[in-house]
Amino acid sequence: MHITGSALSLTVDDVEASADFARRHFGFTDAMSADGFVAITHPDLGWNITLLRTGLPSFRPERIAGPSGQGLLVVFVVDDVDAEFARVAAAGAEVVTPPETEPWGERYCQVADPNGIVWQLVTWV
């Protein structure tokens, strides 16, 4: 198999709210959009995040569409989790977990967007 691109698709009630969150707090830009979806991209990633409005008729099978943002965790490894946490918290992101360090060396924090998607930032220490 030769893969020529990739994307992570997330189903949310309010596509623009999650896209705006990713733009404001993490520097994403729009790659493409249409009624009910927007694909966002970041220069440091090799893939897009596609936000799909819950209930789109083109989302099949319907049974896996799931509720908006439930159980979704998007994780980015960053150079300095404490600095990034301070920046996004000061900008008004909803804090889920302030920075803490796990016994195995993962220092992380979590913030949530308006649809309940948890965005986790990690630094390995």
Side-chain angles (χ1 to χ4, degrees):
M1 171 173 55
H2 174 70
I3 297 173
T4 61
S6 59
L8 171 67
S9 293
L10 307 175
T11 304
V12 296
D13 289 337
D14 187 341
V15 168
E16 186 53 36
S18 287
D20 184 59
F21 182 89
R23 289 182 206 113
R24 284 185 300 117
H25 295 294
F26 302 121
F28 279 81
T29 59
D30 291 4
M32 70 175 89
S33 64
D35 182 38
F37 89 93
V38 63
I40 54 176
T41 188
H42 192 281
D44 295 339
L45 294 178
W47 46 275
N48 290 344
I49 295 176
T50 303
L51 300 159
L52 303 168
R53 186 179 64 235
T54 304
L56 279 178
S58 59
F59 192 96
R60 293 182 200 97
E62 257 184 65
R63 65 180 168 72
I64 67 166
S68 179
Q70 297 287 321
L72 297 175
L73 181 69
V74 178
V75 181
F76 299 124
V77 177
V78 298
D79 291 331
D80 185 343
V81 73
D82 294 286
E84 295 299 336
F85 173 77
R87 182 184 61 76
V88 298
E94 177 190 340
V95 174
V96 175
T97 307
E100 59 182 60
T101 303
E102 298 288 3
W104 52 86
E106 175 186 47
R107 183 155 178 79
Y108 76 99
C109 68
Q110 298 174 327
V111 294
D113 78 10
N115 285 297
I117 296 172
V118 175
W119 300 74
Q120 178 171 303
L121 304 177
V122 173
T123 298
W124 293 96
V125 294

